[in-house]
Amino acid sequence: KQWYQRRVAITAGIPLFLYPFLHTTSKLRQFEYLRLTSLGVVGALVKPDDKEVIQFLLNTEIIPLLLRIMEHGSELSKTVATFILQKILLDDHGLAYICYTYERFKSVTSVLQSMVDSLVREPSGRLLKHVVRCYLRLTDNPRAKEALNRTLMPEQLKDGSINKMIKQDDNSTKRWVQMLQRNLSNSKNTPQQF
């Protein structure tokens, strides 16, 4: 039943009606609630790893909206937007889309970098988990991995200082940080240019 509802929503373009709420930058509480509710709908659509949903979101240019929210939203909005980006990246088409051009890849990593910087000042375990998972998935693309290894990976993730922010019982984030560091240290010396 849920599969059918997702198909109907995507076929009818229902998520497009939510994009204006994602586009707003107002910090007023009522706009934040609209933004968060809209993100929740999109998050529910991407949760079951449906390739058709991911393709729809990519075709309708949701990435810039997510990046804006990740930069300027409340902690909860940032967390949901980063979760959606993570789900897009976990799809092979989503990873290829984001890594297709250096500009697109750089815009994503710039926002992720600023999030890491802000997490150092204002820690959030939930948000950190999704940011780390996004970086880890980016290392599955050889060109992205090389670019991250050269200059685009935050020092806090490279040197392990981010580990202070990970809660004792959060084994998945700890494991992902270790995998990320291992992936970067195993990077080939042959440059992969965008």
Side-chain angles (χ1 to χ4, degrees):
K1 183 178 177 172
Q2 289 178 346
W3 173 85
Y4 177 74
Q5 291 170 337
R6 274 194 308 278
R7 293 278 185 240
V8 169
I10 293 300
T11 303
I14 301 291
L16 292 174
F17 293 103
L18 303 174
Y19 283 21
F21 301 124
L22 298 177
H23 192 68
T24 183
T25 56
S26 175
K27 299 279 188 185
L28 294 174
R29 185 183 315 202
Q30 49 271 50
F31 285 107
E32 180 59 25
Y33 289 156
L34 282 170
R35 186 172 28 253
L36 195 51
T37 301
S38 301
L39 283 168
V41 171
V42 176
L45 289 172
V46 299
K47 209 169 193 174
D49 299 326
D50 187 332
K51 291 186 178 302
E52 188 176 323
V53 170
I54 299 297
Q55 195 60 52
F56 173 84
L57 295 175
L58 293 174
N59 291 342
T60 57
E61 296 289 323
I62 197 167
I63 301 294
L65 296 173
L66 294 175
L67 295 178
R68 178 182 295 141
I69 294 166
M70 289 164 62
E71 278 187 301
H72 303 293
S74 68
E75 180 187 331
L76 192 51
S77 288
K78 287 179 180 184
T79 302
V80 178
T82 309
F83 167 77
I84 295 167
L85 178 67
Q86 172 189 321
K87 295 301 272 185
I88 290 170
L89 279 167
L90 288 173
D91 180 85
D92 290 337
H93 293 294
L95 178 63
Y97 177 88
I98 288 173
C99 296
Y100 186 71
T101 66
Y102 181 76
E103 292 74 23
R104 199 178 287 161
F105 166 76
K106 179 76 165 111
S107 66
V108 170
T109 56
S110 292
V111 171
L112 289 172
Q113 168 72 59
S114 70
M115 293 178 77
V116 169
D117 293 341
S118 70
L119 284 167
V120 169
R121 292 186 303 276
E122 299 172 36
S124 166
R126 289 185 304 177
L127 185 53
L128 176 63
K129 176 182 284 199
H130 297 302
V131 169
V132 168
R133 189 65 182 103
C134 286
Y135 274 116
L136 179 59
R137 178 60 172 152
L138 286 169
T139 63
D140 289 338
N141 178 287
R143 295 182 311 168
K145 182 177 178 178
E146 182 63 30
L148 287 169
N149 215 7
R150 275 186 283 130
T151 58
L152 297 177
M153 179 59 67
E155 281 302 315
Q156 300 93 327
L157 288 171
K158 277 185 176 179
D159 65 17
S161 62
I162 201 86
N163 292 339
K164 295 179 286 189
M165 292 175 34
I166 302 172
K167 294 180 181 171
Q168 286 301 111
D169 60 343
D170 190 356
N171 293 325
S172 59
T173 304
K174 287 178 190 174
R175 187 175 63 250
W176 290 336
V177 168
Q178 291 169 349
M179 289 170 65
L180 177 61
Q181 291 168 339
R182 191 171 35 250
N183 284 359
L184 292 174
S185 68
N186 292 338
S187 186
K188 295 178 183 174
N189 292 329
T190 49
Q192 300 276 331
Q193 297 296 319
F194 267 91

